[in-house]
Amino acid sequence: QVQLVESGGGLVQPGGSLRLSCAASGSIFRINDMGWYRQAPGKQRELVALITRGGTTTSADSVKGRFTISRDNAVGTVYLQMNNLKPEDTAVYYCNADVMFRSWSSPENYWGKGTLVTVSS
């Protein structure tokens, strides 16, 4: 089994910054893609940013230029640096990862439990 544990959420004023972290633990052979998703009240969960094991990134248009995703493969952790936060960024942010348990196994997808980010004055 794999656990993805997010941290770093909280209350921040508009224009402020937060850094989210998500650490994977378990008997993991390799982590492929890792990403951040968010779900605002009354809305569907949406992709925020994605990063491959090799470091290629993709992000939603709404966060381009403000959010940066990165990862540290040595410790199985993905980060989301969020700058110039806006009230519309308020949501529960979820970590997601494709995990392989053996070199020959297919990746399995896992979710963290989420961390709440509230942007308000």
Side-chain angles (χ1 to χ4, degrees), residues 11-104:
L11 173 64
V12 64
Q13 292 186 341
S17 297
L18 281 175
R19 188 190 196 212
L20 305 183
S21 299
C22 171
S25 62
S27 299
I28 298 170
F29 170 72
R30 187 172 69 202
I31 304 174
N32 294 337
D33 292 354
M34 301 186 82
W36 289 96
Y37 291 72
R38 67 185 181 187
Q39 187 166 18
K43 294 190 176 181
Q44 288 189 330
R45 191 173 297 189
E46 63 176 1
L47 174 68
V48 176
L50 192 70
I51 184 167
T52 68
R53 183 171 179 80
T56 301
T57 62
T58 304
S59 58
D61 288 343
S62 59
V63 306
K64 277 188 169 75
R66 301 188 298 123
F67 291 10
T68 302
I69 189 171
S70 60
R71 64 188 286 174
D72 185 338
N73 291 330
V75 294
T77 301
V78 62
Y79 307 96
L80 186 68
Q81 178 66 44
M82 305 186 293
N83 298 327
N84 191 21
L85 281 158
K86 304 176 180 180
E88 52 263 41
D89 295 318
T90 295
V92 178
Y93 284 71
Y94 296 92
C95 176
N96 181 269
D98 285 334
V99 177
M100 294 175 64
F101 295 101
R102 299 288 186 271
S103 60
W104 61 85

Side-chain angles (χ1 to χ4, degrees), residues 103-121:
S103 60
W104 61 85
S105 62
S106 299
E108 297 181 26
N109 191 257
Y110 286 86
W111 291 93
K113 293 184 178 180
T115 184
L116 177 62
V117 171
T118 303
V119 185
S120 175
S121 54

